[in-house]
Amino acid sequence: VHDLRPSRAREAQLLRFERRFQRLFEQAPVGIVLVDGEGRLEEGNKAFRSMAKMRVVAPKVQRIKEE
């Protein structure tokens, strides 16, 4: 017999953190973008899209340039 309660508690906590991050990301008054390891935009929040005059951020298409 294996007690799954600790594992389920961790999963529930992870879900709460994910939901909290998603709310922060979506409702932030400042622009936030998520990029992959190659520097390509994966997702931008509403504030970022507004600043960049974009409707959506196309996944894996745009790259952030280093200066």
Side-chain angles (χ1 to χ4, degrees), residues 63-67:
R63 185 170 288 210
I64 295 179
K65 295 180 182 178
E66 292 184 28
E67 295 188 30

Side-chain angles (χ1 to χ4, degrees), residues 5 11 13 15 19 21 23 25-26 31 35 41 44 47 49 61 65-66:
R5 286 179 288 184
E11 289 174 14
Q13 184 178 28
L15 184 57
R19 288 179 180 160
F21 173 79
R23 279 194 315 271
F25 182 81
E26 292 171 358
V35 297
L41 299 179
R49 292 191 307 271
V61 180
K65 295 180 182 178
E66 292 184 28

Side-chain angles (χ1 to χ4, degrees), residues 1-66:
V1 176
H2 184 69
D3 187 359
L4 297 176
R5 286 179 288 184
S7 178
R8 289 183 180 153
R10 283 191 300 275
E11 289 174 14
Q13 184 178 28
L14 179 59
L15 184 57
R16 284 192 303 276
F17 288 147
E18 289 173 348
R19 288 179 180 160
R20 183 182 298 165
F21 173 79
Q22 191 64 37
R23 279 194 315 271
L24 169 70
F25 182 81
E26 292 171 358
Q27 298 172 3
V30 297
I32 300 173
V33 294
L34 301 177
V35 297
D36 67 10
E38 300 294 317
R40 293 179 295 237
L41 299 179
E42 290 195 342
E43 188 175 354
N45 69 352
K46 184 177 179 179
F48 172 78
R49 292 191 307 271
S50 176
M51 290 178 353
K53 307 279 192 258
M54 304 169 90
R55 287 189 181 176
V56 296
V57 176
K60 310 247 183 208
V61 180
Q62 300 178 9
R63 185 170 288 210
I64 295 179
K65 295 180 182 178
E66 292 184 28

